[in-house]
Amino acid sequence: MRDRVRVVIAEDSVLLREGLTRLLTDRGHDVVAGVGDGDALIKTITELDAQGELPDVVVADVRMPPTHTDEGVRAAVQLRKAHPGLGVLVLSQYVEERYATELLAGSSRGVGYLLKDRVAEVREFVDAVVRVAEGGTALDPEVVAQLLGRSRKQDVLAGLTPREREVLGLMAEGRTNSAIARQLVVSDGAVEKHVSNIFLKLGLSQSDGDHRRVLAVLTYLNS
Protein backbone atom coordinates (compact mmCIF):
# COMPACT_ATOMS: atom_id res chain seq x y z
CA MET A 1 0.00 0.00 0.00
CA ARG A 2 1.14 3.55 -0.68
CA ASP A 3 1.92 5.73 2.31
CA ARG A 4 -0.37 8.59 1.28
CA VAL A 5 -3.71 8.62 -0.51
CA ARG A 6 -5.74 11.53 -1.88
CA VAL A 7 -9.31 11.66 -0.62
CA VAL A 8 -12.52 13.58 -1.35
CA ILE A 9 -15.13 13.47 1.42
CA ALA A 10 -18.87 13.90 0.73
CA GLU A 11 -20.84 14.29 3.97
CA ASP A 12 -23.56 16.85 4.74
CA SER A 13 -22.78 16.90 8.48
CA VAL A 14 -20.04 19.49 8.81
CA LEU A 15 -18.99 18.04 12.15
CA LEU A 16 -18.56 14.51 10.76
CA ARG A 17 -16.90 15.79 7.60
CA GLU A 18 -14.35 17.71 9.62
CA GLY A 19 -13.86 14.73 11.90
CA LEU A 20 -13.15 12.40 8.98
CA THR A 21 -10.77 14.97 7.54
CA ARG A 22 -8.88 15.16 10.82
CA LEU A 23 -8.67 11.36 11.15
CA LEU A 24 -7.18 11.01 7.69
CA THR A 25 -4.84 14.00 7.70
CA ASP A 26 -3.48 13.09 11.12
CA ARG A 27 -2.37 9.80 9.56
CA GLY A 28 -0.60 11.43 6.64
CA HIS A 29 -3.29 11.34 3.96
CA ASP A 30 -4.46 14.26 1.81
CA VAL A 31 -8.11 15.34 1.92
CA VAL A 32 -8.23 17.43 -1.24
CA ALA A 33 -11.90 18.45 -0.98
CA GLY A 34 -14.95 18.18 1.24
CA VAL A 35 -18.53 18.63 -0.04
CA GLY A 36 -22.03 18.35 1.38
CA ASP A 37 -24.18 16.81 -1.38
CA GLY A 38 -24.11 14.44 -4.34
CA ASP A 39 -24.18 17.10 -7.06
CA ALA A 40 -21.23 18.91 -5.49
CA LEU A 41 -19.36 15.61 -5.28
CA ILE A 42 -19.80 14.87 -8.98
CA LYS A 43 -18.85 18.46 -9.90
CA THR A 44 -15.74 18.34 -7.73
CA ILE A 45 -14.54 15.02 -9.15
CA THR A 46 -15.19 16.23 -12.71
CA GLU A 47 -13.15 19.39 -12.08
CA LEU A 48 -10.29 17.51 -10.43
CA ASP A 49 -10.21 15.02 -13.30
CA ALA A 50 -10.06 17.87 -15.83
CA GLN A 51 -7.04 19.20 -13.95
CA GLY A 52 -5.39 15.78 -14.00
CA GLU A 53 -5.77 15.50 -10.23
CA LEU A 54 -8.33 12.73 -9.83
CA PRO A 55 -8.24 11.56 -6.18
CA ASP A 56 -7.55 7.96 -5.19
CA VAL A 57 -10.79 7.49 -3.27
CA VAL A 58 -14.11 9.13 -2.44
CA VAL A 59 -15.67 8.69 1.01
CA ALA A 60 -19.39 9.45 0.72
CA ASP A 61 -22.47 9.27 2.91
CA VAL A 62 -25.26 7.17 1.36
CA ARG A 63 -27.90 9.78 2.24
CA MET A 64 -27.35 13.45 1.50
CA PRO A 65 -29.38 16.57 0.56
CA PRO A 66 -31.79 17.47 -0.80
CA THR A 67 -33.97 14.42 -0.01
CA HIS A 68 -31.62 12.50 2.29
CA THR A 69 -32.49 9.20 0.60
CA ASP A 70 -29.96 7.85 -1.89
CA GLU A 71 -28.16 10.88 -3.34
CA GLY A 72 -24.78 9.77 -2.06
CA VAL A 73 -24.87 6.23 -3.39
CA ARG A 74 -26.32 7.35 -6.72
CA ALA A 75 -23.44 9.79 -7.08
CA ALA A 76 -21.01 7.01 -6.14
CA VAL A 77 -22.44 4.64 -8.77
CA GLN A 78 -22.28 7.40 -11.39
CA LEU A 79 -18.67 8.19 -10.50
CA ARG A 80 -17.64 4.53 -10.72
CA LYS A 81 -19.06 4.35 -14.23
CA ALA A 82 -17.32 7.56 -15.31
CA HIS A 83 -14.03 6.83 -13.50
CA PRO A 84 -13.50 3.05 -13.12
CA GLY A 85 -10.17 3.56 -11.37
CA LEU A 86 -11.64 5.76 -8.64
CA GLY A 87 -12.09 4.05 -5.28
CA VAL A 88 -15.47 4.61 -3.62
CA LEU A 89 -16.18 4.02 0.07
CA VAL A 90 -19.75 4.75 1.19
CA LEU A 91 -20.89 5.22 4.77
CA SER A 92 -24.37 4.38 6.01
CA GLN A 93 -26.22 4.67 9.30
CA TYR A 94 -27.51 1.11 8.97
CA VAL A 95 -27.37 -1.80 6.51
CA GLU A 96 -29.18 -1.10 3.25
CA GLU A 97 -28.78 -4.17 1.07
CA ARG A 98 -30.08 -2.56 -2.10
CA TYR A 99 -27.43 0.15 -1.99
CA ALA A 100 -24.65 -2.34 -1.22
CA THR A 101 -25.56 -4.60 -4.14
CA GLU A 102 -26.10 -1.62 -6.48
CA LEU A 103 -22.65 -0.29 -5.68
CA LEU A 104 -21.07 -3.72 -6.21
CA ALA A 105 -23.04 -4.56 -9.35
CA GLY A 106 -20.21 -3.74 -11.75
CA SER A 107 -17.14 -4.87 -9.85
CA SER A 108 -16.00 -5.29 -6.26
CA ARG A 109 -12.63 -3.71 -7.05
CA GLY A 110 -12.07 -0.40 -5.28
CA VAL A 111 -15.38 -0.50 -3.39
CA GLY A 112 -16.26 -0.16 0.27
CA TYR A 113 -19.47 -0.08 2.31
CA LEU A 114 -19.15 0.64 6.02
CA LEU A 115 -21.55 1.52 8.79
CA LYS A 116 -20.84 4.91 10.34
CA ASP A 117 -20.24 3.27 13.71
CA ARG A 118 -17.11 1.73 12.17
CA VAL A 119 -15.54 5.19 11.94
CA ALA A 120 -15.04 5.04 15.71
CA GLU A 121 -12.61 2.17 15.12
CA VAL A 122 -10.08 4.59 13.71
CA ARG A 123 -7.39 2.18 12.57
CA GLU A 124 -9.87 -0.10 10.79
CA PHE A 125 -11.55 2.86 9.12
CA VAL A 126 -8.31 4.37 7.84
CA ASP A 127 -7.10 0.94 6.70
CA ALA A 128 -10.38 0.54 4.80
CA VAL A 129 -9.94 3.91 3.07
CA VAL A 130 -6.42 3.00 1.97
CA ARG A 131 -7.46 -0.52 0.89
CA VAL A 132 -10.26 0.85 -1.31
CA ALA A 133 -7.92 3.50 -2.72
CA GLU A 134 -5.58 0.65 -3.70
CA GLY A 135 -8.36 -1.21 -5.53
CA GLY A 136 -9.35 -3.53 -2.69
CA THR A 137 -12.70 -4.18 -1.06
CA ALA A 138 -13.91 -3.10 2.37
CA LEU A 139 -17.31 -4.38 3.45
CA ASP A 140 -18.69 -3.93 6.93
CA PRO A 141 -19.10 -7.23 8.79
CA GLU A 142 -22.75 -6.33 9.46
CA VAL A 143 -23.36 -5.90 5.73
CA VAL A 144 -21.71 -9.22 5.00
CA ALA A 145 -23.67 -10.96 7.77
CA GLN A 146 -26.97 -9.67 6.42
CA LEU A 147 -26.12 -10.65 2.86
CA LEU A 148 -24.99 -14.05 4.11
CA GLY A 149 -28.32 -14.54 5.87
CA ARG A 150 -30.12 -13.85 2.61
CA SER A 151 -27.78 -16.04 0.59
CA ARG A 152 -28.52 -19.06 2.79
CA LYS A 153 -31.94 -19.18 1.13
CA GLN A 154 -30.35 -19.60 -2.29
CA ASP A 155 -29.02 -22.74 -3.96
CA VAL A 156 -25.86 -21.29 -5.51
CA LEU A 157 -23.88 -21.49 -2.27
CA ALA A 158 -25.62 -24.56 -0.91
CA GLY A 159 -22.59 -26.75 -1.53
CA LEU A 160 -20.30 -24.75 0.77
CA THR A 161 -19.58 -25.93 4.29
CA PRO A 162 -20.23 -23.53 7.20
CA ARG A 163 -16.49 -22.84 7.44
CA GLU A 164 -16.24 -22.17 3.70
CA ARG A 165 -19.16 -19.74 4.00
CA GLU A 166 -17.34 -18.01 6.83
CA VAL A 167 -14.15 -17.74 4.77
CA LEU A 168 -16.08 -16.42 1.77
CA GLY A 169 -17.77 -13.86 4.02
CA LEU A 170 -14.37 -12.62 5.20
CA MET A 171 -13.17 -12.52 1.59
CA ALA A 172 -16.16 -10.28 0.84
CA GLU A 173 -14.95 -7.92 3.56
CA GLY A 174 -11.75 -7.52 1.55
CA ARG A 175 -9.49 -9.56 3.84
CA THR A 176 -6.42 -11.38 2.55
CA ASN A 177 -5.81 -15.06 3.24
CA SER A 178 -3.38 -14.16 6.02
CA ALA A 179 -5.91 -11.81 7.62
CA ILE A 180 -8.58 -14.51 7.41
CA ALA A 181 -6.22 -16.98 9.06
CA ARG A 182 -5.64 -14.57 11.95
CA GLN A 183 -9.36 -13.91 12.32
CA LEU A 184 -10.25 -17.61 12.41
CA VAL A 185 -7.11 -18.60 14.35
CA VAL A 186 -6.07 -21.19 11.76
CA SER A 187 -3.03 -21.63 9.53
CA ASP A 188 -2.56 -19.88 6.20
CA GLY A 189 -2.53 -23.32 4.58
CA ALA A 190 -5.94 -24.14 6.01
CA VAL A 191 -7.37 -20.92 4.58
CA GLU A 192 -5.79 -21.61 1.19
CA LYS A 193 -7.44 -25.02 1.18
CA HIS A 194 -10.83 -23.51 2.01
CA VAL A 195 -10.41 -20.88 -0.71
CA SER A 196 -9.49 -23.56 -3.26
CA ASN A 197 -12.57 -25.55 -2.29
CA ILE A 198 -14.74 -22.45 -2.65
CA PHE A 199 -13.40 -21.82 -6.16
CA LEU A 200 -14.01 -25.45 -7.07
CA LYS A 201 -17.56 -25.57 -5.72
CA LEU A 202 -18.47 -22.28 -7.41
CA GLY A 203 -17.14 -23.55 -10.72
CA LEU A 204 -14.31 -21.02 -10.97
CA SER A 205 -11.46 -22.65 -12.85
CA GLN A 206 -7.79 -21.71 -12.81
CA SER A 207 -8.25 -20.13 -16.23
CA ASP A 208 -10.10 -17.31 -14.46
CA GLY A 209 -6.75 -16.39 -12.91
CA ASP A 210 -6.59 -13.65 -10.30
CA HIS A 211 -10.20 -12.73 -11.03
CA ARG A 212 -11.45 -15.87 -9.27
CA ARG A 213 -11.43 -14.13 -5.90
CA VAL A 214 -13.50 -11.23 -7.21
CA LEU A 215 -15.86 -13.59 -9.03
CA ALA A 216 -16.34 -15.63 -5.86
CA VAL A 217 -17.18 -12.50 -3.86
CA LEU A 218 -19.61 -11.27 -6.52
CA THR A 219 -21.28 -14.68 -6.63
CA TYR A 220 -21.66 -14.48 -2.88
CA LEU A 221 -23.06 -10.94 -2.90
CA ASN A 222 -25.45 -11.56 -5.79
CA SER A 223 -26.83 -14.79 -4.32
Side-chain angles (χ1 to χ4, degrees):
M1 289 186 179
R2 69 187 66 170
D3 293 332
R4 182 185 296 266
V5 298
R6 300 176 70 253
V7 188
V8 169
I9 297 175
E11 166 60 58
D12 63 297
S13 167
V14 175
L15 183 61
L16 181 54
R17 187 166 71 236
E18 292 300 320
L20 294 175
T21 299
R22 181 66 179 272
L23 286 179
L24 292 166
T25 56
D26 281 355
R27 283 153 185 81
H29 303 297
D30 295 326
V31 176
V32 296
V35 299
D37 62 71
D39 289 341
L41 173 60
I42 292 173
K43 180 181 179 182
T44 297
I45 295 300
T46 300
E47 291 174 349
L48 288 171
D49 185 42
Q51 298 165 11
E53 298 180 357
L54 191 70
D56 301 303
V57 60
V58 166
V59 178
D61 190 359
V62 165
R63 301 186 175 202
M64 289 193 290
T67 68
H68 292 279
T69 55
D70 62 353
E71 284 84 357
V73 75
R74 284 194 289 108
V77 170
Q78 183 175 334
L79 288 172
R80 278 182 60 76
K81 290 179 180 178
H83 310 282
L86 176 66
V88 173
L89 173 62
V90 299
L91 303 177
S92 180
Q93 196 67 42
Y94 51 87
V95 179
E96 299 177 273
E97 289 184 38
R98 178 170 65 88
Y99 297 153
T101 54
E102 183 178 2
L103 188 65
L104 287 151
S107 168
S108 65
R109 179 174 175 80
V111 177
Y113 188 113
L114 297 180
L115 296 183
K116 285 188 174 180
D117 289 347
R118 203 66 58 190
V119 176
E121 300 172 16
V122 176
R123 182 175 178 179
E124 288 190 19
F125 169 70
V126 175
D127 285 349
V129 172
V130 175
R131 186 160 66 248
V132 171
E134 292 291 336
T137 305
L139 295 180
D140 195 285
E142 291 296 326
V143 175
V144 173
Q146 188 156 318
L147 292 172
L148 179 58
R150 179 162 56 88
S151 72
R152 286 195 178 112
K153 301 175 183 177
Q154 308 297 324
D155 292 332
V156 67
L157 302 181
L160 300 184
T161 66
R163 176 62 92 181
E164 288 164 356
R165 285 175 179 270
E166 190 173 11
V167 169
L168 184 52
L170 292 170
M171 288 168 60
E173 291 179 24
R175 298 175 188 258
T176 64
N177 285 3
S178 295
I180 293 172
R182 290 194 298 271
Q183 176 73 18
L184 300 181
V185 195
V186 297
S187 68
D188 287 1
V191 173
E192 291 174 4
K193 183 176 180 180
H194 288 311
V195 171
S196 295
N197 287 338
I198 290 168
F199 291 157
L200 179 64
K201 292 179 179 180
L202 295 183
L204 301 174
S205 66
Q206 290 186 353
S207 62
D208 292 312
D210 293 336
H211 296 296
R212 286 194 299 174
R213 199 175 187 91
V214 172
L215 292 172
V217 169
L218 289 177
T219 299
Y220 168 77
L221 293 173
N222 291 327
S223 299

